[in-house]
PDB file of all heavy atoms in Angstrom:
ATOM      1  N   ARG X 230       0.834  -1.203   0.000  1.00 93.00           N
ATOM      2  CA  ARG X 230       0.000   0.000   0.000  1.00 93.00           C
ATOM      3  C   ARG X 230       0.872   1.257   0.000  1.00 93.00           C
ATOM      4  O   ARG X 230       1.985   1.241   0.517  1.00 93.00           O
ATOM      5  CB  ARG X 230      -0.927   0.003   1.226  1.00 93.00           C
ATOM      6  CG  ARG X 230      -2.018  -1.054   1.170  1.00 93.00           C
ATOM      7  CD  ARG X 230      -2.893  -1.053   2.426  1.00 93.00           C
ATOM      8  NE  ARG X 230      -2.150  -1.487   3.610  1.00 93.00           N
ATOM      9  CZ  ARG X 230      -1.786  -0.683   4.591  1.00 93.00           C
ATOM     10  NH1 ARG X 230      -2.084   0.613   4.544  1.00 93.00           N
ATOM     11  NH2 ARG X 230      -1.113  -1.152   5.630  1.00 93.00           N
ATOM     12  N   LEU X 231       0.340   2.321  -0.572  1.00 95.00           N
ATOM     13  CA  LEU X 231       1.067   3.589  -0.618  1.00 95.00           C
ATOM     14  C   LEU X 231       1.191   4.152   0.791  1.00 95.00           C
ATOM     15  O   LEU X 231       0.222   4.212   1.549  1.00 95.00           O
ATOM     16  CB  LEU X 231       0.306   4.578  -1.509  1.00 95.00           C
ATOM     17  CG  LEU X 231       1.026   5.870  -1.912  1.00 95.00           C
ATOM     18  CD1 LEU X 231       2.240   5.564  -2.786  1.00 95.00           C
ATOM     19  CD2 LEU X 231       0.061   6.786  -2.649  1.00 95.00           C
ATOM     20  N   ARG X 232       2.393   4.555   1.163  1.00 95.00           N
ATOM     21  CA  ARG X 232       2.617   5.088   2.508  1.00 95.00           C
ATOM     22  C   ARG X 232       1.908   6.442   2.668  1.00 95.00           C
ATOM     23  O   ARG X 232       1.766   7.214   1.724  1.00 95.00           O
ATOM     24  CB  ARG X 232       4.113   5.252   2.781  1.00 95.00           C
ATOM     25  CG  ARG X 232       4.841   3.927   2.956  1.00 95.00           C
ATOM     26  CD  ARG X 232       6.223   4.116   3.543  1.00 95.00           C
ATOM     27  NE  ARG X 232       6.916   2.848   3.680  1.00 95.00           N
ATOM     28  CZ  ARG X 232       6.761   2.011   4.702  1.00 95.00           C
ATOM     29  NH1 ARG X 232       5.920   2.336   5.687  1.00 95.00           N
ATOM     30  NH2 ARG X 232       7.431   0.873   4.754  1.00 95.00           N
ATOM     31  N   ASN X 233       1.506   6.724   3.907  1.00 95.00           N
ATOM     32  CA  ASN X 233       0.780   7.963   4.209  1.00 95.00           C
ATOM     33  C   ASN X 233       1.563   9.201   3.816  1.00 95.00           C
ATOM     34  O   ASN X 233       0.990  10.231   3.446  1.00 95.00           O
ATOM     35  CB  ASN X 233       0.423   8.025   5.700  1.00 95.00           C
ATOM     36  CG  ASN X 233      -0.597   6.977   6.095  1.00 95.00           C
ATOM     37  OD1 ASN X 233      -1.372   6.522   5.248  1.00 95.00           O
ATOM     38  ND2 ASN X 233      -0.616   6.589   7.364  1.00 95.00           N
ATOM     39  N   THR X 234       2.898   9.105   3.885  1.00 94.00           N
ATOM     40  CA  THR X 234       3.766  10.238   3.544  1.00 94.00           C
ATOM     41  C   THR X 234       3.454  10.786   2.152  1.00 94.00           C
ATOM     42  O   THR X 234       3.567  11.990   1.905  1.00 94.00           O
ATOM     43  CB  THR X 234       5.244   9.796   3.573  1.00 94.00           C
ATOM     44  OG1 THR X 234       5.495   9.076   4.773  1.00 94.00           O
ATOM     45  CG2 THR X 234       6.190  10.978   3.459  1.00 94.00           C
ATOM     46  N   TYR X 235       3.063   9.884   1.247  1.00 95.00           N
ATOM     47  CA  TYR X 235       2.863  10.276  -0.147  1.00 95.00           C
ATOM     48  C   TYR X 235       1.402  10.289  -0.573  1.00 95.00           C
ATOM     49  O   TYR X 235       1.103  10.616  -1.729  1.00 95.00           O
ATOM     50  CB  TYR X 235       3.660   9.339  -1.066  1.00 95.00           C
ATOM     51  CG  TYR X 235       5.144   9.394  -0.809  1.00 95.00           C
ATOM     52  CD1 TYR X 235       5.790   8.379  -0.120  1.00 95.00           C
ATOM     53  CD2 TYR X 235       5.892  10.489  -1.224  1.00 95.00           C
ATOM     54  CE1 TYR X 235       7.156   8.440   0.138  1.00 95.00           C
ATOM     55  CE2 TYR X 235       7.256  10.570  -0.974  1.00 95.00           C
ATOM     56  CZ  TYR X 235       7.879   9.540  -0.294  1.00 95.00           C
ATOM     57  OH  TYR X 235       9.221   9.618  -0.050  1.00 95.00           O
ATOM     58  N   SER X 236       0.494   9.936   0.309  1.00 93.00           N
ATOM     59  CA  SER X 236      -0.905   9.783  -0.081  1.00 93.00           C
ATOM     60  C   SER X 236      -1.552  11.105  -0.517  1.00 93.00           C
ATOM     61  O   SER X 236      -2.530  11.108  -1.263  1.00 93.00           O
ATOM     62  CB  SER X 236      -1.719   9.171   1.064  1.00 93.00           C
ATOM     63  OG  SER X 236      -1.646   9.992   2.219  1.00 93.00           O
ATOM     64  N   GLU X 237      -0.996  12.250  -0.048  1.00 93.00           N
ATOM     65  CA  GLU X 237      -1.561  13.544  -0.416  1.00 93.00           C
ATOM     66  C   GLU X 237      -1.075  14.041  -1.773  1.00 93.00           C
ATOM     67  O   GLU X 237      -1.699  14.898  -2.392  1.00 93.00           O
ATOM     68  CB  GLU X 237      -1.213  14.592   0.659  1.00 93.00           C
ATOM     69  CG  GLU X 237      -1.836  14.328   2.018  1.00 93.00           C
ATOM     70  CD  GLU X 237      -3.359  14.371   1.972  1.00 93.00           C
ATOM     71  OE1 GLU X 237      -3.898  15.289   1.316  1.00 93.00           O
ATOM     72  OE2 GLU X 237      -3.986  13.480   2.570  1.00 93.00           O
ATOM     73  N   SER X 238       0.048  13.503  -2.237  1.00 95.00           N
ATOM     74  CA  SER X 238       0.645  14.038  -3.463  1.00 95.00           C
ATOM     75  C   SER X 238       0.730  13.030  -4.610  1.00 95.00           C
ATOM     76  O   SER X 238       0.978  13.415  -5.757  1.00 95.00           O
ATOM     77  CB  SER X 238       2.064  14.553  -3.172  1.00 95.00           C
ATOM     78  OG  SER X 238       2.877  13.509  -2.647  1.00 95.00           O
ATOM     79  N   VAL X 239       0.505  11.758  -4.302  1.00 97.00           N
ATOM     80  CA  VAL X 239       0.724  10.700  -5.301  1.00 97.00           C
ATOM     81  C   VAL X 239      -0.490   9.778  -5.384  1.00 97.00           C
ATOM     82  O   VAL X 239      -1.098   9.438  -4.370  1.00 97.00           O
ATOM     83  CB  VAL X 239       1.983   9.868  -4.934  1.00 97.00           C
ATOM     84  CG1 VAL X 239       2.142   8.677  -5.868  1.00 97.00           C
ATOM     85  CG2 VAL X 239       3.236  10.744  -4.970  1.00 97.00           C
ATOM     86  N   ASN X 240      -0.838   9.388  -6.600  1.00 96.00           N
ATOM     87  CA  ASN X 240      -1.834   8.343  -6.833  1.00 96.00           C
ATOM     88  C   ASN X 240      -1.124   7.061  -7.242  1.00 96.00           C
ATOM     89  O   ASN X 240      -0.126   7.109  -7.978  1.00 96.00           O
ATOM     90  CB  ASN X 240      -2.796   8.731  -7.952  1.00 96.00           C
ATOM     91  CG  ASN X 240      -3.840   9.731  -7.502  1.00 96.00           C
ATOM     92  OD1 ASN X 240      -4.320   9.675  -6.369  1.00 96.00           O
ATOM     93  ND2 ASN X 240      -4.196  10.658  -8.388  1.00 96.00           N
ATOM     94  N   MET X 241      -1.641   5.914  -6.798  1.00 96.00           N
ATOM     95  CA  MET X 241      -1.111   4.624  -7.217  1.00 96.00           C
ATOM     96  C   MET X 241      -2.212   3.835  -7.926  1.00 96.00           C
ATOM     97  O   MET X 241      -3.334   3.753  -7.433  1.00 96.00           O
ATOM     98  CB  MET X 241      -0.603   3.814  -6.012  1.00 96.00           C
ATOM     99  CG  MET X 241       0.007   2.471  -6.412  1.00 96.00           C
ATOM    100  SD  MET X 241       0.720   1.558  -5.013  1.00 96.00           S
ATOM    101  CE  MET X 241      -0.756   0.839  -4.284  1.00 96.00           C
ATOM    102  N   ILE X 242      -1.890   3.302  -9.095  1.00 94.00           N
ATOM    103  CA  ILE X 242      -2.823   2.455  -9.842  1.00 94.00           C
ATOM    104  C   ILE X 242      -2.162   1.089 -10.003  1.00 94.00           C
ATOM    105  O   ILE X 242      -0.985   0.997 -10.348  1.00 94.00           O
ATOM    106  CB  ILE X 242      -3.127   3.019 -11.250  1.00 94.00           C
ATOM    107  CG1 ILE X 242      -3.259   4.539 -11.224  1.00 94.00           C
ATOM    108  CG2 ILE X 242      -4.375   2.393 -11.820  1.00 94.00           C
ATOM    109  CD1 ILE X 242      -3.281   5.175 -12.590  1.00 94.00           C
ATOM    110  N   ARG X 243      -2.926   0.041  -9.759  1.00 92.00           N
ATOM    111  CA  ARG X 243      -2.365  -1.310  -9.752  1.00 92.00           C
ATOM    112  C   ARG X 243      -3.346  -2.270 -10.411  1.00 92.00           C
ATOM    113  O   ARG X 243      -4.550  -2.169 -10.199  1.00 92.00           O
ATOM    114  CB  ARG X 243      -2.100  -1.708  -8.311  1.00 92.00           C
ATOM    115  CG  ARG X 243      -1.537  -3.072  -8.070  1.00 92.00           C
ATOM    116  CD  ARG X 243      -1.267  -3.235  -6.571  1.00 92.00           C
ATOM    117  NE  ARG X 243      -1.011  -4.616  -6.215  1.00 92.00           N
ATOM    118  CZ  ARG X 243      -0.787  -5.030  -4.970  1.00 92.00           C
ATOM    119  NH1 ARG X 243      -0.777  -4.156  -3.972  1.00 92.00           N
ATOM    120  NH2 ARG X 243      -0.557  -6.313  -4.727  1.00 92.00           N
ATOM    121  N   GLY X 244      -2.841  -3.175 -11.250  1.00 90.00           N
ATOM    122  CA  GLY X 244      -3.727  -4.126 -11.917  1.00 90.00           C
ATOM    123  C   GLY X 244      -2.959  -5.253 -12.572  1.00 90.00           C
ATOM    124  O   GLY X 244      -1.728  -5.274 -12.574  1.00 90.00           O
ATOM    125  N   PRO X 245      -3.662  -6.229 -13.167  1.00 88.00           N
ATOM    126  CA  PRO X 245      -3.018  -7.392 -13.789  1.00 88.00           C
ATOM    127  C   PRO X 245      -2.096  -6.996 -14.935  1.00 88.00           C
ATOM    128  O   PRO X 245      -2.334  -6.016 -15.637  1.00 88.00           O
ATOM    129  CB  PRO X 245      -4.208  -8.213 -14.314  1.00 88.00           C
ATOM    130  CG  PRO X 245      -5.394  -7.709 -13.575  1.00 88.00           C
ATOM    131  CD  PRO X 245      -5.131  -6.270 -13.283  1.00 88.00           C
ATOM    132  N   TYR X 246      -1.040  -7.781 -15.096  1.00 92.00           N
ATOM    133  CA  TYR X 246      -0.044  -7.537 -16.144  1.00 92.00           C
ATOM    134  C   TYR X 246       0.276  -8.871 -16.795  1.00 92.00           C
ATOM    135  O   TYR X 246       0.676  -9.820 -16.117  1.00 92.00           O
ATOM    136  CB  TYR X 246       1.204  -6.937 -15.489  1.00 92.00           C
ATOM    137  CG  TYR X 246       2.268  -6.391 -16.419  1.00 92.00           C
ATOM    138  CD1 TYR X 246       2.096  -6.311 -17.790  1.00 92.00           C
ATOM    139  CD2 TYR X 246       3.474  -5.935 -15.889  1.00 92.00           C
ATOM    140  CE1 TYR X 246       3.075  -5.785 -18.605  1.00 92.00           C
ATOM    141  CE2 TYR X 246       4.466  -5.401 -16.699  1.00 92.00           C
ATOM    142  CZ  TYR X 246       4.261  -5.331 -18.058  1.00 92.00           C
ATOM    143  OH  TYR X 246       5.241  -4.816 -18.867  1.00 92.00           O
ATOM    144  N   LEU X 247       0.104  -8.958 -18.102  1.00 93.00           N
ATOM    145  CA  LEU X 247       0.412 -10.201 -18.820  1.00 93.00           C
ATOM    146  C   LEU X 247       1.914 -10.256 -19.089  1.00 93.00           C
ATOM    147  O   LEU X 247       2.396 -10.105 -20.208  1.00 93.00           O
ATOM    148  CB  LEU X 247      -0.388 -10.285 -20.118  1.00 93.00           C
ATOM    149  CG  LEU X 247      -1.913 -10.349 -19.935  1.00 93.00           C
ATOM    150  CD1 LEU X 247      -2.614 -10.425 -21.288  1.00 93.00           C
ATOM    151  CD2 LEU X 247      -2.319 -11.534 -19.068  1.00 93.00           C
ATOM    152  N   ASN X 248       2.644 -10.483 -18.010  1.00 95.00           N
ATOM    153  CA  ASN X 248       4.105 -10.499 -18.054  1.00 95.00           C
ATOM    154  C   ASN X 248       4.613 -11.588 -17.114  1.00 95.00           C
ATOM    155  O   ASN X 248       4.291 -11.578 -15.930  1.00 95.00           O
ATOM    156  CB  ASN X 248       4.656  -9.142 -17.616  1.00 95.00           C
ATOM    157  CG  ASN X 248       6.177  -9.147 -17.463  1.00 95.00           C
ATOM    158  OD1 ASN X 248       6.869  -9.860 -18.184  1.00 95.00           O
ATOM    159  ND2 ASN X 248       6.677  -8.372 -16.525  1.00 95.00           N
ATOM    160  N   THR X 249       5.373 -12.517 -17.658  1.00 97.00           N
ATOM    161  CA  THR X 249       5.987 -13.570 -16.853  1.00 97.00           C
ATOM    162  C   THR X 249       7.476 -13.292 -16.710  1.00 97.00           C
ATOM    163  O   THR X 249       8.197 -13.188 -17.706  1.00 97.00           O
ATOM    164  CB  THR X 249       5.797 -14.956 -17.494  1.00 97.00           C
ATOM    165  OG1 THR X 249       4.395 -15.221 -17.629  1.00 97.00           O
ATOM    166  CG2 THR X 249       6.426 -16.052 -16.646  1.00 97.00           C
ATOM    167  N   GLU X 250       7.930 -13.142 -15.484  1.00 97.00           N
ATOM    168  CA  GLU X 250       9.359 -13.003 -15.196  1.00 97.00           C
ATOM    169  C   GLU X 250       9.920 -14.403 -14.955  1.00 97.00           C
ATOM    170  O   GLU X 250       9.316 -15.203 -14.232  1.00 97.00           O
ATOM    171  CB  GLU X 250       9.576 -12.124 -13.964  1.00 97.00           C
ATOM    172  CG  GLU X 250       9.066 -10.705 -14.107  1.00 97.00           C
ATOM    173  CD  GLU X 250       9.976  -9.841 -14.960  1.00 97.00           C
ATOM    174  OE1 GLU X 250      11.149 -10.229 -15.166  1.00 97.00           O
ATOM    175  OE2 GLU X 250       9.507  -8.781 -15.421  1.00 97.00           O
ATOM    176  N   TYR X 251      11.081 -14.705 -15.541  1.00 98.00           N
ATOM    177  CA  TYR X 251      11.574 -16.081 -15.468  1.00 98.00           C
ATOM    178  C   TYR X 251      13.098 -16.148 -15.563  1.00 98.00           C
ATOM    179  O   TYR X 251      13.757 -15.173 -15.945  1.00 98.00           O
ATOM    180  CB  TYR X 251      10.957 -16.931 -16.576  1.00 98.00           C
ATOM    181  CG  TYR X 251      11.446 -16.593 -17.974  1.00 98.00           C
ATOM    182  CD1 TYR X 251      12.490 -17.317 -18.563  1.00 98.00           C
ATOM    183  CD2 TYR X 251      10.878 -15.562 -18.709  1.00 98.00           C
ATOM    184  CE1 TYR X 251      12.949 -17.021 -19.837  1.00 98.00           C
ATOM    185  CE2 TYR X 251      11.327 -15.252 -19.988  1.00 98.00           C
ATOM    186  CZ  TYR X 251      12.358 -15.982 -20.546  1.00 98.00           C
ATOM    187  OH  TYR X 251      12.817 -15.682 -21.813  1.00 98.00           O
ATOM    188  N   LEU X 252      13.639 -17.313 -15.208  1.00 98.00           N
ATOM    189  CA  LEU X 252      15.027 -17.659 -15.488  1.00 98.00           C
ATOM    190  C   LEU X 252      15.012 -18.714 -16.583  1.00 98.00           C
ATOM    191  O   LEU X 252      14.189 -19.635 -16.557  1.00 98.00           O
ATOM    192  CB  LEU X 252      15.720 -18.226 -14.238  1.00 98.00           C
ATOM    193  CG  LEU X 252      15.640 -17.422 -12.948  1.00 98.00           C
ATOM    194  CD1 LEU X 252      16.376 -18.160 -11.827  1.00 98.00           C
ATOM    195  CD2 LEU X 252      16.217 -16.021 -13.137  1.00 98.00           C
ATOM    196  N   GLY X 253      15.916 -18.591 -17.536  1.00 98.00           N
ATOM    197  CA  GLY X 253      15.965 -19.559 -18.627  1.00 98.00           C
ATOM    198  C   GLY X 253      17.288 -20.308 -18.656  1.00 98.00           C
ATOM    199  O   GLY X 253      18.326 -19.787 -18.241  1.00 98.00           O
ATOM    200  N   PHE X 254      17.240 -21.554 -19.147  1.00 98.00           N
ATOM    201  CA  PHE X 254      18.436 -22.384 -19.310  1.00 98.00           C
ATOM    202  C   PHE X 254      18.738 -22.550 -20.793  1.00 98.00           C
ATOM    203  O   PHE X 254      17.829 -22.823 -21.598  1.00 98.00           O
ATOM    204  CB  PHE X 254      18.222 -23.772 -18.697  1.00 98.00           C
ATOM    205  CG  PHE X 254      17.980 -23.783 -17.214  1.00 98.00           C
ATOM    206  CD1 PHE X 254      16.690 -23.920 -16.716  1.00 98.00           C
ATOM    207  CD2 PHE X 254      19.028 -23.662 -16.312  1.00 98.00           C
ATOM    208  CE1 PHE X 254      16.454 -23.939 -15.351  1.00 98.00           C
ATOM    209  CE2 PHE X 254      18.799 -23.679 -14.944  1.00 98.00           C
ATOM    210  CZ  PHE X 254      17.512 -23.814 -14.462  1.00 98.00           C
ATOM    211  N   TYR X 255      20.003 -22.415 -21.170  1.00 98.00           N
ATOM    212  CA  TYR X 255      20.426 -22.653 -22.543  1.00 98.00           C
ATOM    213  C   TYR X 255      20.812 -24.131 -22.662  1.00 98.00           C
ATOM    214  O   TYR X 255      21.868 -24.557 -22.171  1.00 98.00           O
ATOM    215  CB  TYR X 255      21.604 -21.754 -22.893  1.00 98.00           C
ATOM    216  CG  TYR X 255      22.143 -21.945 -24.296  1.00 98.00           C
ATOM    217  CD1 TYR X 255      21.331 -21.745 -25.410  1.00 98.00           C
ATOM    218  CD2 TYR X 255      23.473 -22.330 -24.507  1.00 98.00           C
ATOM    219  CE1 TYR X 255      21.818 -21.917 -26.691  1.00 98.00           C
ATOM    220  CE2 TYR X 255      23.975 -22.506 -25.789  1.00 98.00           C
ATOM    221  CZ  TYR X 255      23.143 -22.300 -26.879  1.00 98.00           C
ATOM    222  OH  TYR X 255      23.628 -22.481 -28.156  1.00 98.00           O
ATOM    223  N   LEU X 256      19.950 -24.915 -23.314  1.00 98.00           N
ATOM    224  CA  LEU X 256      20.084 -26.372 -23.284  1.00 98.00           C
ATOM    225  C   LEU X 256      21.233 -26.906 -24.131  1.00 98.00           C
ATOM    226  O   LEU X 256      21.622 -28.071 -23.965  1.00 98.00           O
ATOM    227  CB  LEU X 256      18.763 -27.018 -23.721  1.00 98.00           C
ATOM    228  CG  LEU X 256      17.528 -26.618 -22.899  1.00 98.00           C
ATOM    229  CD1 LEU X 256      16.304 -27.384 -23.379  1.00 98.00           C
ATOM    230  CD2 LEU X 256      17.771 -26.871 -21.412  1.00 98.00           C
ATOM    231  N   ASP X 257      21.773 -26.089 -25.028  1.00 97.00           N
ATOM    232  CA  ASP X 257      22.943 -26.520 -25.808  1.00 97.00           C
ATOM    233  C   ASP X 257      24.254 -26.227 -25.080  1.00 97.00           C
ATOM    234  O   ASP X 257      25.341 -26.375 -25.640  1.00 97.00           O
ATOM    235  CB  ASP X 257      22.950 -25.837 -27.179  1.00 97.00           C
ATOM    236  CG  ASP X 257      21.978 -26.491 -28.155  1.00 97.00           C
ATOM    237  OD1 ASP X 257      21.527 -27.612 -27.864  1.00 97.00           O
ATOM    238  OD2 ASP X 257      21.657 -25.877 -29.194  1.00 97.00           O
ATOM    239  N   SER X 258      24.150 -25.800 -23.836  1.00 97.00           N
ATOM    240  CA  SER X 258      25.336 -25.541 -23.023  1.00 97.00           C
ATOM    241  C   SER X 258      26.142 -26.823 -22.821  1.00 97.00           C
ATOM    242  O   SER X 258      25.592 -27.926 -22.780  1.00 97.00           O
ATOM    243  CB  SER X 258      24.906 -24.998 -21.655  1.00 97.00           C
ATOM    244  OG  SER X 258      25.975 -25.028 -20.744  1.00 97.00           O
ATOM    245  N   LYS X 259      27.466 -26.669 -22.706  1.00 96.00           N
ATOM    246  CA  LYS X 259      28.347 -27.813 -22.434  1.00 96.00           C
ATOM    247  C   LYS X 259      28.453 -28.094 -20.937  1.00 96.00           C
ATOM    248  O   LYS X 259      29.092 -29.073 -20.531  1.00 96.00           O
ATOM    249  CB  LYS X 259      29.747 -27.544 -22.994  1.00 96.00           C
ATOM    250  CG  LYS X 259      29.778 -27.219 -24.479  1.00 96.00           C
ATOM    251  CD  LYS X 259      29.192 -28.346 -25.322  1.00 96.00           C
ATOM    252  CE  LYS X 259      29.279 -28.004 -26.816  1.00 96.00           C
ATOM    253  NZ  LYS X 259      28.598 -29.033 -27.654  1.00 96.00           N
ATOM    254  N   THR X 260      27.826 -27.269 -20.111  1.00 97.00           N
ATOM    255  CA  THR X 260      27.892 -27.434 -18.661  1.00 97.00           C
ATOM    256  C   THR X 260      26.990 -28.583 -18.214  1.00 97.00           C
ATOM    257  O   THR X 260      25.782 -28.545 -18.468  1.00 97.00           O
ATOM    258  CB  THR X 260      27.448 -26.133 -17.952  1.00 97.00           C
ATOM    259  OG1 THR X 260      28.226 -25.042 -18.454  1.00 97.00           O
ATOM    260  CG2 THR X 260      27.618 -26.249 -16.451  1.00 97.00           C
ATOM    261  N   PRO X 261      27.532 -29.613 -17.566  1.00 98.00           N
ATOM    262  CA  PRO X 261      26.718 -30.784 -17.175  1.00 98.00           C
ATOM    263  C   PRO X 261      25.514 -30.411 -16.303  1.00 98.00           C
ATOM    264  O   PRO X 261      24.440 -31.001 -16.456  1.00 98.00           O
ATOM    265  CB  PRO X 261      27.708 -31.657 -16.399  1.00 98.00           C
ATOM    266  CG  PRO X 261      29.058 -31.229 -16.867  1.00 98.00           C
ATOM    267  CD  PRO X 261      28.951 -29.778 -17.191  1.00 98.00           C
ATOM    268  N   GLU X 262      25.696 -29.444 -15.409  1.00 98.00           N
ATOM    269  CA  GLU X 262      24.590 -29.066 -14.523  1.00 98.00           C
ATOM    270  C   GLU X 262      23.417 -28.481 -15.309  1.00 98.00           C
ATOM    271  O   GLU X 262      22.251 -28.740 -14.979  1.00 98.00           O
ATOM    272  CB  GLU X 262      25.073 -28.037 -13.479  1.00 98.00           C
ATOM    273  CG  GLU X 262      26.016 -28.605 -12.433  1.00 98.00           C
ATOM    274  CD  GLU X 262      27.483 -28.526 -12.839  1.00 98.00           C
ATOM    275  OE1 GLU X 262      27.775 -28.455 -14.058  1.00 98.00           O
ATOM    276  OE2 GLU X 262      28.345 -28.551 -11.939  1.00 98.00           O
ATOM    277  N   ILE X 263      23.712 -27.707 -16.349  1.00 98.00           N
ATOM    278  CA  ILE X 263      22.650 -27.096 -17.155  1.00 98.00           C
ATOM    279  C   ILE X 263      21.949 -28.162 -17.998  1.00 98.00           C
ATOM    280  O   ILE X 263      20.740 -28.105 -18.220  1.00 98.00           O
ATOM    281  CB  ILE X 263      23.219 -25.982 -18.061  1.00 98.00           C
ATOM    282  CG1 ILE X 263      23.819 -24.858 -17.206  1.00 98.00           C
ATOM    283  CG2 ILE X 263      22.144 -25.427 -18.993  1.00 98.00           C
ATOM    284  CD1 ILE X 263      22.840 -24.114 -16.339  1.00 98.00           C
TER     285      ILE X 263
END
């Protein structure tokens, strides 16, 4: 939630975002762990 310090001067808008944050593996890597 927006802190009271800023509630008089700032508006916050929040909603769904079709965005997936992820880590990816490069499968052609020569590293055995990958």
Side-chain angles (χ1 to χ4, degrees):
R230 291 178 293 108
L231 192 65
R232 289 194 181 277
N233 292 335
T234 312
Y235 299 104
S236 59
E237 295 297 317
S238 58
V239 174
N240 283 324
M241 182 176 80
I242 321 168
R243 179 176 167 182
Y246 190 6
L247 297 180
N248 172 32
T249 301
E250 298 284 343
Y251 70 96
L252 308 179
F254 297 101
Y255 179 60
L256 303 183
D257 282 345
S258 166
K259 304 301 182 185
T260 306
E262 290 90 337
I263 298 296

